[in-house]
Every structure is written in structure tokens, then in C-alpha cells.
Amino acid sequence: GPKLESYYNILNQVQASDDYMGRGGYVGGYREYPRQSFDAQEYKAEVTDASSPSLRTFLDVLVHNKFTNLDLQPLQELSTLSDSVFTEFKKFLTDKLPTLGCLTSLNLSSPNNTTCLPKVENGHLKLIGENCHNLMNLDLSYHKSITGEGLKYLAPDSRYGYVGCGKLTRLLIFDTGCIEKDVA
């Protein structure tokens, strides 16, 4: 899997914030950092080589359910990854998305998603539509596996009482598997 050093290199790039950040509390035994920043050097001092976290542990510590803005695009800096890392990331998203109801902005774009993270599928869009009702901005660009079927999960449907992402005002789907009639 990716080296721990690679995690530290992207910590300052991953932007996740909300009013909860910066209150000096602890989550999972790790110190929280001020809004819009994460002190990689301090985090590095807290984690020894003997307790090197897996990608899943790293993301669980980094991503908190009170976040309103989450940009996972910098994960592409981890470069070429094994299939097991992709599987681990997909499972992380599947488990974490139902807890991120406060999100207003989510960036999952990845120009190199065949070899780099984040990697997103239609099933993740279903979880976003079911749980992220406050979402206003969503970037899914470059995911060829995202299709019109997946986009339907984001749309509210009053016939069935399905809230979806009714507040969504900005959806970026550049170079996905969606075609024009999917968004008409």
C-alpha cells in the first residue's frame, strides 16, 4: 500500500472544515486541527512507524461527520495504487457517506481515477442522495463509471418522499459516463 510518508504529503492539501474544527477536542485519540488546515508535522510526531495507519484508519481520523466541506481530490497525489487500496477506499466511502449529512460541498473528482484515488461509483451516488440532503456543490468529474442511472439518485422525488440532494446548485460531471440526455 501507499507509504505513510505519502499520507503526510497530502494532509495539508485535503480541505475539510466546519464549525466543529478548531475547538481543540480529540477524535479517535488524534488532535483536531484548526479550520482549513492540518499540521502534518504534529500528526507525524503522534504516529510512530510501528503504528502506521492503513488508508482506512487515516481517512477515518481525517474525515469527521460534522464537516460541511470535503475535498478528497488531493488523494490523487498517492499515485498508482493496488486494487486492495481501491477496495479499501470504496468501502470507506460506503461506510462514511451515511454519516456526512452536514456536507454542503463535496469534491470527488479525479483526473486519473483508473490509477489514483478517489474512485467513485453509482452506488456512492445513491448514498449521497440518501444522506447528504444539504449538499449544494458536488464534483464527480472524470469518473467514467458514473452514469445517468447514478445521477437519478441525487434528484428529489416527492412521489416517494425521497429528499435527495434538493439543495444542489452546482454539479460538475465533466468527462463522466453521463450523456446529455441523462441531465436534461
Side-chain angles (χ1 to χ4, degrees), residues 143-148 173 175-179 182:
H143 292 283
K144 297 285 188 195
S145 62
I146 298 296
T147 65
I173 52 172
D175 203 15
T176 62
C178 299
I179 57 177
D182 291 334

Side-chain angles (χ1 to χ4, degrees), residues 106-167:
L106 177 60
N107 184 355
L108 296 168
S109 67
S110 179
N112 302 313
N113 68 61
T114 56
T115 58
C116 300
L117 295 175
K119 192 165 192 122
V120 183
E121 299 173 340
N122 283 339
H124 295 117
L125 296 187
K126 182 176 184 194
L127 292 170
I128 290 170
E130 290 173 348
N131 300 286
C132 302
H133 308 298
N134 294 310
L135 203 59
M136 294 186 289
N137 299 298
L138 178 60
D139 190 347
L140 302 167
S141 297
Y142 308 107
H143 292 283
K144 297 285 188 195
S145 62
I146 298 296
T147 65
E149 271 310 302
L151 291 181
K152 290 178 184 177
Y153 294 122
L154 302 176
D157 191 338
S158 58
R159 296 174 296 173
Y160 304 106
Y162 185 75
V163 178
C165 298
K167 296 179 181 180

